[in-house]
Structure formats: C-alpha cells, structure tokens
C-alpha cells in the first residue's frame, strides 16, 4: 500500500467521493493541499476571487446538479469569508463540503497568525463539522462528510484541517472507508403507511384541496412523483420560492408562487382551502405571514417532510408524515389510484370555478409605461423568457429583481431556479451562475441581478475570464436598492434612508469590458428583445446586459403584514 | 413545565458545544446541565433541565435528535423517574449555631464532609427542591458558598437509556 501525505489523502479521498470540481482560494494553511492539487489531474480546481464566491459557486453547482458542492479555503479570513455562503447553503438545505485550513495543531488556541475557531464560528450554520486530528482521519471524515451532507435533509459540512496534518513529509497508508454507517445518524426512509393512508383519505374527501410544494421536492428528486400525484388528483398546486420548477409552471393546475409576493389566486386558494397538503415545505414566515393563527383557518394540514423538526415547528400539522418526500409521494400515488373514485368531482369543479374567478384578477398583469419607452422590470423577465425559450438556468441575487424573476420566468423543470431563498444573500447570483455554467458548460446560465446585489461579488468577472465562463448577466438597473426603497415608500413615508446612490454607480458596460467581457446597455422598451437576443447570440462570451428600468416600480402582489394570506396589496392603490 | 432531558452522545470534542449552542441559537433555556462519560467510554451522558410547553419541548427534542453527535435521548419527565442533584454547601457557624447546623444536616440526611472552627462543609443529595429547602433553612447570612452539580436522573423500573 502506498504511503501518502494528508494533503494527498485529501485529494484522493475527494476523488473517491466522486468529486471532479472544487472551488477555492489558496493561503498559508492550505499550501500543502494546493501542492497536492498541483500534482494531480483528477480534480479540477476553480480559483475564485473571494472565498464567499467559492461557496456560492459550489452552492450553484449543487443546486443545478443535486451533487454536493466542494469548497477549499485557507484559515482565518479565508474561513470567515466562507461563512455567508455556508449560512446560505444551510438555510436552503444545500449539500456542500467546506474544507478549511487551520493553523498547525500546536498553535491552535494561541491566537496564531490567521487563526480563527472555524468549528465554533460555523457551528450554528452547518449540519455537522469535523476537525482533523491526524492525517489518517482525512479519508474517514471525507467519506462521513459526504454521507451527512447529501442524505436526509441535506446541508453543509465543514472539515477543519490543521496544517501539520497535510504535511508532505508525514505519510501513512491510505484507506478510503467503504462503510459510513454511524450509530448516531439515521436517514429517514419511507413514511408511516398508516399516516399516509390518513392523508390520502383527507385528500380524496376534500372539498377545497390545495397542494403546497417546496424546495424539499427538488432536493428529494421528487418532481416527477409530485407531478404525477397532482395530475392524478386534479388539484390546484402552488410552489414556494424554493420550490419553483418542482411542478411545471406552464401547467394549468399551477397557480403560481405563493407567499409574500405570491399570486392572488395562489394565496386566496391557500386561505380558503379545507385540506392542505404541504410537501417538502417549512411553513416559512414569508409564506404564512407573521401571524400563523390566521393561516389557512379552515384547513386540515397534511405535512410531508424528511426533517421531523420542520413538522409542527410554526404551524401544527394534523397529519404529520416524516420520510423521504419521493418515497411518500410514490406510496400516495398507489393509494390515490385505488381511492380516486371518492373524490367529489362536483365540489372540485366548484372549487376550480372559484379559483378561475380569482385568476381573472390577473395579479401579475404588467402595465406598460405610459410613454411606451420606459422599461418595466417585469417586461425584462418576460423578454428573457422569450429569448431563452424558458429553458435557461436562472440564478438571482436578492431583492426586487429576484421576485420579478420568480414571478415571471415560469420554471417548468426542477433545478433551473437558483436563488438564496432562506438567508436572502445579496451577491449570491453571479458566483452561483458560474457554478451552474461549470456544471453544464453547454447550458445557458443566466444571472438576473440588480446593480446593488451585483456590486457585492463583481470581482468574479475575473474568474469568468480565466475559465471562459459565458454567463449572461441581466441587471435590472433601477439605480437604487429597490426592495429597501419599496419598503421605505410603503412604511417610512418615502424616506429613502441609504437606499439610493445613482450618482456613484459605475458604468457597468465599461466595467465588463475592462475585464475583457462584453457589455450591452438597454434603455428603451423597443430595443429590449432585440438586444437581449444579441446578448444570448454571443454564446461563448460573458455578456453583462445593463437594463435601465423604471426606478419607481414596486413588487406586487404583496402580503399585508400581520394579515392572513388573503390580505394582499395588489398595486400601489389596490388591496384585497 | 420543567423537563429533564437525558442525552446519550458521542464522547467527541465539540459535542457538548453543539448541544449548548443549539439552546442559545434557538432561544431555549438550559436551567441546569450535567455531563460525564458513561460506562461505555465512547459515550457521554448529558442531562439538562429546561422549561417549556409541550410544543417547545417537542421542538427541543427533535432538534437535539438531529445533532449528528446525539445517539439517543429521553425526556425523563414523560414518565416515572428518579432525579438527584448533589450540593456542596459551606455554612458559617460558631457557638450554639453549630448544633443547629448539625441538626439540620441530620434532618436533611446530609453529611458534614469538612469543618473548621467556624465553617461546615456539607454534602447533600436529593431533588432540587430538597436542596433549596436546606439552603433556606439555614440562619440568615450563614451560607457562604453553594456548589450544585445540576440534575441527573434515570427512569424508574425496567426502562433504560442505553445503546
């Protein structure tokens, strides 16, 4: 058996864990590892320009592929820069492995140069973490970390690696474990059949049923099962922000996204339903609104989730089902096939008639600007959908542009919508789109952003140049922190405290050009489709499209704070 | 309501901080905490007391169970159980007060484990209430130091928390 160093073990163990791509940034504590990377060709390393971007890129890669994203950073500032990206992945249950360098074991606790307690700092935002004590720990910890990160409710795992454990002069035999069973970690499998039967009975007996499906369906590879069950039942369905694409948006049973900026019909159907089937969702406050006592007042709540702690956390479930969403849905399909005849089609038709009347409200209808020249941000997303035939990967940052993309792009497939839903991380979109592009080099990878968010990670222009990543960046430029400004308009009498900066914005076209990319500016509505098409025609180039949009536009519908889901603002002047 | 939760967890560095961190992170309180390795040296047993309604305790136990280091846990207050806490307390006493202290130790079935001319060091085992009662039975100002271990416990009868 070969004797190899800890640094070499790390690289070999990553390969054994089927990793072919990692994102990182070198530094003192990880130099042994980088030297081991230099001397092999099985794992490609992408050099980002900031560790935060490494985590978001790995996250984008993971969301698009379902495989874990892998990050390598140095100790101290390298590790702390990764924290925002780890928290982002944690909130959205994204599988990620973060390898952080650490000072030599003998220096730990002495406030050594570039020392930080990474295990302590990351503890509340990881699924688990390890600290390497000896080089032979490395393959074992890598195997366990991948097992933990990718099974059950996925999440990020940190492995902290003191520099001495990767020393090239210290070698040991390498053994990659074949078995990762841990007595303290069990993964939920199929759900309780009795509970599933109860849920199916409630569903087929419902007068006003509603299906509410979220990110767990995507993470659990259950979109096909969800679609089959929904079609079989003929029930209305909504997706959460995290669940977009879990059910095809173009299908007639789909009512759009729900929640704070959900459609009128989705939120009204939620409020008035009598049986609610929640699948891979966590009854987040952006869905339920702040007062959960007003949430779905008439509904029997059925809740499927792989994480028992998500069940009855904010809203009490009448029929809780813990298990793999896919396995539970498959079992449900079988039971519904047997008992489908019990569905009262007359009541269901009445319910659909009611929903159709809500749909007539056309809550996502876009009113063009009066002069016909000023571009509404929603129109940009509609144009983007036309130009990309609705088949692009869309990563976003956070704010108004994110909500417009969620509302107007219409995702028909899972894993196409890449956004920071739980943590709401500005600066996420661009590096995430890089991760998507690296996962699928021939796919169209788009970052929909705003001029605020984009400036939080724009240094990645350089990474895209180095690795020829033809990401398309669509910037809805309203010259302000639009969502902050919207809230200030609505709740602070229009006092725009620190949300505007028009006079200090860079020329994004020239900025992109200075990194060797292409920049395009769009200022008038009549050039929108044509110039966007031109941008996407440049298949091999990164194109930054700076679209000047109406700075006064707000995102609607919008939930009214403290209300029920039926309480919404529909425009600046209309409310339910 | 007060709950006593006993947790069997991997005897690994960082395991304790994950449990304690969970409580502060999720805005739960720990009223007392005691932890030590078990007869199986790879496992530690941690017992904590906390307050909360059923929904809150359910969330606490679910989140504890999610921690990768946690192998098993039990809410002892769900059933009949035995709980004990140990206290070492130093009481200042001289002259006639000394007899009074000795009498109280006898009533509470404690032990005097050390003494000087003016100070008794007393060991007392029992439920938290009993320890409270002993301290408040002392003459005002005479208790000069209290060290309590926090509650530990087991279920009554056949039921055990083990692998």
């Amino acid at each position: 058996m070969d004797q190899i160093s800890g640094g070499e073990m790390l690289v070999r163990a990553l390969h054994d864990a089927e990793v072919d791509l990692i994102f990182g940034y070198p530094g003192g504590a990880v130099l042994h590892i980088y030297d081991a990377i230099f001397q092999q060709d099985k794992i490609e390393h992408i050099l980002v320009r900031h560790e935060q971007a490494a985590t978001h890129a790995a996250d984008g890669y993971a969301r698009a592929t379902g495989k874990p994203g892998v990050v390598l950073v140095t100790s101290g500032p390298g590790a702390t820069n990764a924290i925002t990206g780890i928290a982002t992945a944690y909130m959205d249950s994204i599988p990620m492995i973060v390898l952080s360098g650490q000072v030599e074991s003998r220096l730990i606790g002495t406030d050594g140069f570039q020392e930080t307690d990474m295990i302590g700092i990351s503890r509340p935002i990881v699924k688990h973490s390890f600290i390497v004590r000896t080089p032979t720990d490395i393959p074992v910890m890598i195997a366990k970390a991948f097992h933990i990160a990718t099974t059950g409710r996925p999440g990020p795992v940190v492995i902290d690696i003191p520099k001495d454990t990767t020393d090239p002069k210290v070698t040991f035999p390498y053994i990659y474990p074949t078995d990762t069973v841990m007595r303290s970690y069990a993964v939920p499998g199929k759900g309780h059949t009795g509970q599933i039967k109860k849920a199916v009975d409630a569903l087929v007996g419902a007068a006003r049923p509603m299906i509410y499906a979220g990110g767990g369906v995507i993470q659990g590879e259950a979109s096909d099962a969800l679609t089959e069950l929904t079609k079989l039942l003929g029930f209305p369905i909504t997706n959460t922000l995290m669940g977009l694409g879990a059910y095809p948006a173009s299908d007639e049973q789909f009512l759009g996204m729900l929640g704070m900026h959900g459609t009128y019909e989705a939120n009204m159907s939620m409020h008035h339903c009598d049986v609610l089937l929640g699948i891979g969702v966590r009854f987040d406050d952006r869905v339920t609104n702040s007062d959960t006592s007003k949430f779905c007042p008439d509904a029997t709540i059925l809740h499927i989730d792989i994480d028992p702690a998500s069940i009855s956390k904010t809203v009490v479930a009448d029929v809780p089902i813990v298990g793999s969403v896919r396995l539970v849905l498959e079992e449900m399909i079988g039971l519904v096939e047997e008992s489908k005849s019990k569905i009262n089609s007359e009541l269901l038709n009445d319910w659909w008639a009611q929903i159709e009347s809500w749909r007539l409200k056309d809550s996502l209808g876009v009113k063009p600007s009066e002069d016909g020249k000023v571009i509404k941000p929603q129109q940009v997303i509609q144009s983007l959908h036309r130009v990309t035939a609705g088949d692009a990967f869309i990563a976003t940052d956070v704010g108004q542009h994110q909500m417009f993309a969620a509302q107007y792009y219409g995702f028909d497939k899972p894993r196409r919508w890449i956004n920071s839903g739980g943590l709401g991380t500005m600066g996420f979109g661009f590096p995430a789109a890089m991760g998507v592009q690296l996962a699928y080099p021939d796919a169209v990878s788009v970052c929909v952003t705003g001029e605020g968010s984009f400036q939080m990670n724009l240094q990645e222009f350089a990474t895209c140049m180095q690795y020829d990543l033809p990401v398309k960046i669509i910037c809805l430029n309203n010259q302000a922190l639009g969502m902050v400004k919207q809230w200030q308009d609505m709740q602070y009498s229009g006092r725009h405290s620190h949300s505007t900066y028009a006079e200090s914005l860079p020329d994004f076209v020239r900025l992109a050009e200075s990194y060797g990319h292409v920049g395009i500016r769009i200022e008038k509505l009549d050039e929108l489709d044509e110039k966007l098409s031109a941008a996407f025609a440049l298949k091999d180039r990164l194109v930054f499209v700076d679209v000047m949009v109406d700075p006064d536009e707000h995102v609607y519908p919008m939930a009214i704070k403290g209300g029920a889901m039926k309480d919404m603002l529909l425009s600046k002047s209309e409310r339910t | 309501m007060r709950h006593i939760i006993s947790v069997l967890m991997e005897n690994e560095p960082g395991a304790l901080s994950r449990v304690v961190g969970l409580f502060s992170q999720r805005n739960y309180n720990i009223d007392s905490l005691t932890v030590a390795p078990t007869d199986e040296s790879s496992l530690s047993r941690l017992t904590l007391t906390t307050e909360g309604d059923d929904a809150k305790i359910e969330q606490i136990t679910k989140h504890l169970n999610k921690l990768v280091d946690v192998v098993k846990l039990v809410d002892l207050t769900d059933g009949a159980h035995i709980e004990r806490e140990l206290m070492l307390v130093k009481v200042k006493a001289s002259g006639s007060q000394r007899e009074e202290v000795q009498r109280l130790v006898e009533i509470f079935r404690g032990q005097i484990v050390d003494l000087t001319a003016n100070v008794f060091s007393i060991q007392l085992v029992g439920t938290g209430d009993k320890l409270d009662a002993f301290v408040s039975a002392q003459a005002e100002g005479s208790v000069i130091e209290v060290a309590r271990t926090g509650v530990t416990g087991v279920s009554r009868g056949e039921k055990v928390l083990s692998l």
Side-chain angles (χ1 to χ4, degrees):
Chain A
M1 198 177 287
D2 330 346
Q3 296 270 323
I4 62 173
S5 73
E8 290 166 319
M9 283 191 195
L10 184 70
V11 176
R12 197 185 291 188
L14 287 174
H15 180 64
D16 282 337
E18 295 172 9
V19 174
D20 45 26
L21 184 71
I22 67 174
F23 301 87
Y25 204 102
V30 287
L31 282 175
H32 296 328
I33 300 170
Y34 271 86
D35 196 48
I37 290 172
F38 189 86
Q39 298 177 58
Q40 56 84 51
D41 56 6
K42 287 182 176 137
I43 289 172
E44 189 187 359
H45 174 276
I46 303 297
L47 175 67
V48 293
R49 296 300 185 272
H50 189 291
E51 289 88 350
Q52 185 190 347
T55 53
H56 293 328
D59 185 324
Y61 174 92
R63 288 179 205 242
T65 61
K67 295 192 283 185
V70 183
V71 177
L72 172 59
V73 295
T74 193
S75 64
T80 55
N81 280 346
I83 289 293
T84 301
I86 298 171
T88 304
Y90 180 73
M91 286 292 273
D92 290 344
S93 311
I94 303 303
M96 181 186 286
I97 308 291
V98 178
L99 310 162
S100 56
Q102 183 54 279
V103 298
E104 288 177 39
S105 305
R106 67 182 177 87
L107 289 172
I108 291 178
T110 65
D111 302 320
F113 176 64
Q114 291 194 328
E115 182 189 357
T116 195
D117 175 13
M118 181 56 168
I119 296 294
I121 289 176
S122 63
R123 189 195 44 72
I125 51 165
V126 295
K127 188 169 172 189
H128 196 57
S129 51
F130 296 95
I131 181 156
V132 175
R133 302 283 167 189
T134 149
T136 49
D137 282 348
I138 290 173
V140 180
M141 285 177 180
I142 290 277
K144 282 186 178 173
F146 276 82
H147 177 58
I148 292 169
T150 55
T151 52
R153 180 177 180 172
V157 175
V158 164
I159 306 179
D160 205 33
I161 309 169
K163 187 171 183 179
D164 50 302
T165 64
T166 55
D167 187 340
K169 294 192 292 293
V170 183
T171 61
F172 288 92
Y174 171 85
I175 304 161
Y176 189 76
T178 49
D179 182 7
T180 49
V181 171
M182 278 171 272
R183 62 183 174 186
S184 59
Y185 179 73
V187 179
K190 62 193 286 291
H192 187 280
T193 300
Q195 290 291 92
I196 296 174
K197 280 192 178 135
K198 250 197 236 173
V200 168
D201 285 346
L203 284 170
V204 297
R208 299 183 309 280
M210 182 70 181
I211 300 174
Y212 150 47
V217 174
I218 293 171
Q219 293 298 321
E221 304 290 355
S223 296
D224 289 346
L226 172 70
T227 307
E228 190 181 339
L229 179 72
T230 308
K231 287 270 137 201
L232 195 60
L233 289 163
F235 290 175
I237 178 168
T238 179
N239 283 161
T240 65
L241 178 69
M242 288 306 299
L244 294 177
Y247 189 85
S250 55
D251 186 85
E252 57 185 8
Q253 282 168 248
F254 186 62
L255 306 189
M257 180 173 77
L258 85 169
M260 178 167 268
H261 295 297
T263 64
Y264 179 71
E265 55 268 33
N267 287 346
M268 291 300 276
S269 303
M270 286 291 289
H271 184 78
H272 292 282
C273 72
D274 70 342
V275 173
L276 178 67
L277 174 61
I279 311 169
V281 290
R282 55 189 181 87
F283 295 82
D284 169 76
D285 56 72
R286 300 289 112 157
V287 165
T288 60
N289 212 340
S290 44
D291 185 353
T292 50
S293 67
K294 295 177 185 164
F295 177 75
C296 297
D298 305 326
T300 299
I301 293 176
L302 325 172
H303 188 187
I304 309 168
D305 205 283
I306 200 161
D307 176 9
S310 270
I311 288 176
S312 299
K313 182 174 69 177
T314 59
V315 171
V316 176
D318 298 297
V319 183
I321 303 171
V322 176
S324 145
V325 165
R326 190 169 56 80
L327 296 179
V328 172
L329 289 179
E330 283 169 358
E331 197 170 339
M332 276 188 151
I333 289 167
L335 291 168
V336 168
E337 274 167 349
E338 289 165 22
S339 58
K340 212 184 141 195
S341 58
K342 289 188 197 153
I343 296 174
N344 184 330
S345 55
E346 208 171 307
L347 289 176
L348 187 59
N349 287 341
D350 290 349
W351 177 227
W352 270 112
Q354 171 68 70
I355 292 169
E356 291 307 329
S357 76
W358 289 327
R359 265 183 170 157
L360 291 177
K361 196 85 159 176
D362 191 19
S363 63
L364 295 183
V366 181
K367 239 186 23 222
S369 59
E370 277 170 23
D371 68 355
K373 287 182 190 148
V374 174
I375 302 169
K376 293 285 182 183
Q378 300 92 326
Q379 292 174 317
V380 183
I381 307 299
Q382 291 174 327
S383 173
L384 177 65
H385 188 273
R386 283 192 293 275
V387 167
T388 57
D391 203 26
F393 287 85
I394 308 287
T396 70
D397 279 298
V398 169
Q400 286 186 322
H401 70 269
Q402 174 194 27
M403 290 301 119
F404 291 134
Q407 290 174 323
Y408 291 90
Y409 193 78
F411 294 88
D412 279 338
K413 295 177 189 163
R415 302 199 177 280
R416 292 301 176 97
W417 166 242
I418 313 287
N419 100 114
S420 167
L423 196 69
T425 309
M426 291 172 72
F428 170 83
F430 183 23
M434 295 183 347
V436 173
Q437 192 76 76
L438 281 155
Y440 298 114
D442 300 325
V444 178
S445 177
V446 180
C447 167
V448 174
T449 185
E451 80 299 321
S453 286
F454 188 74
Q455 291 186 85
M456 286 207 186
N457 263 323
L458 66 79
Q459 76 285 345
E460 298 307 313
F461 268 146
T463 309
C464 289
M465 178 47 61
Q466 184 171 354
Y467 297 97
D468 288 325
L469 303 179
V471 172
K472 302 294 181 285
I473 300 158
I474 313 297
C475 178
L476 306 188
N477 190 336
N478 60 0
Q479 306 178 62
L481 299 174
M483 191 59 93
V484 172
K485 189 162 155 264
Q486 172 171 345
W487 282 57
Q488 290 170 338
D489 285 337
M490 296 168 78
Q491 294 178 23
Y492 299 90
S493 308
R495 291 186 296 277
H496 296 156
S497 180
H498 298 270
S499 55
T500 58
Y501 40 50
E503 64 291 340
S504 56
L505 281 171
D507 179 338
F508 287 106
V509 170
R510 282 169 58 206
L511 183 66
E513 286 168 357
S514 79
Y515 278 93
H517 300 305
V518 179
I520 295 177
R521 180 163 296 115
I522 305 178
E523 289 171 308
K524 292 195 198 82
L525 185 60
D526 60 10
E527 55 182 16
L528 180 58
D529 273 22
E530 184 195 334
K531 284 197 171 176
L532 264 191
S533 301
F536 282 91
L538 296 170
K539 289 201 183 324
D540 301 331
R541 300 293 298 276
L542 182 151
V543 185
F544 187 100
V545 187
D546 191 23
V547 191
M548 307 309 293
V549 297
D550 183 352
D552 295 322
E553 195 64 19
H554 286 178
V555 180
Y556 293 108
M558 180 168 177
I560 295 170
K561 193 173 159 56
M565 287 196 76
K566 67 177 170 56
D567 301 317
M568 288 166 268
L569 299 167
L570 297 172
S571 69
K572 285 183 186 173
S573 55
E574 192 189 355
R575 57 167 292 168
T576 56
Chain B
M1 189 189 142
R2 171 172 167 273
H3 287 255
I4 307 170
I5 300 171
S6 250
V7 180
L8 272 190
M9 58 186 196
E10 298 291 351
N11 191 4
E12 293 276 344
L16 176 61
S17 74
R18 281 184 229 277
V19 171
V20 174
L22 171 69
F23 275 74
S24 62
Q25 177 186 352
R26 301 230 173 233
N27 204 17
Y28 309 140
N29 276 321
I30 296 179
D31 294 329
S32 82
L33 175 75
T34 163
V35 58
T38 63
D39 55 329
E40 156 71 51
S41 64
S42 66
L43 285 175
S44 283
R45 180 168 177 141
L46 176 152
T47 302
L48 59 86
T49 56
T50 185
E51 290 274 342
D53 57 18
D54 289 352
K56 190 168 178 182
I57 299 299
E58 185 182 324
Q59 276 295 310
I60 290 176
T61 54
K62 281 171 165 180
H63 280 294
L64 281 170
N65 262 318
K66 264 178 82 174
L67 294 176
V68 171
D69 287 327
V70 169
V71 183
K72 248 183 193 180
L73 64 83
V74 62
D75 180 351
L76 292 171
T77 27
D78 270 351
H81 63 279
I82 302 155
E83 62 168 284
R84 289 291 181 272
E85 186 173 357
L86 183 145
M87 172 170 71
L88 292 172
V89 56
K90 290 174 113 166
V91 179
K92 206 165 55 176
S94 51
S96 62
Q97 285 175 317
R98 291 174 68 91
E99 248 175 63
E100 173 64 10
V101 169
Q102 277 173 293
R103 212 161 54 80
L104 280 171
V105 169
E106 216 167 283
I107 291 168
F108 280 84
R109 282 187 261 163
Q111 286 169 290
I112 294 165
V113 288
D114 185 38
L115 80 168
T116 67
N118 296 314
V119 174
F120 287 100
S121 295
I122 301 152
Q123 170 188 307
L124 194 64
V125 174
T127 62
D129 287 350
K130 176 179 161 180
L131 306 190
D132 290 343
F134 180 77
V135 172
S136 42
Q138 303 301 323
E140 207 180 320
S142 66
V143 174
I144 55 173
E145 187 176 355
V146 174
R148 294 170 66 151
T149 58
V151 175
T152 190
V154 289
S155 297
R156 283 195 184 273
E158 310 285 310
K159 202 176 156 196
V160 294
L161 176 66
S162 68
L163 276 187

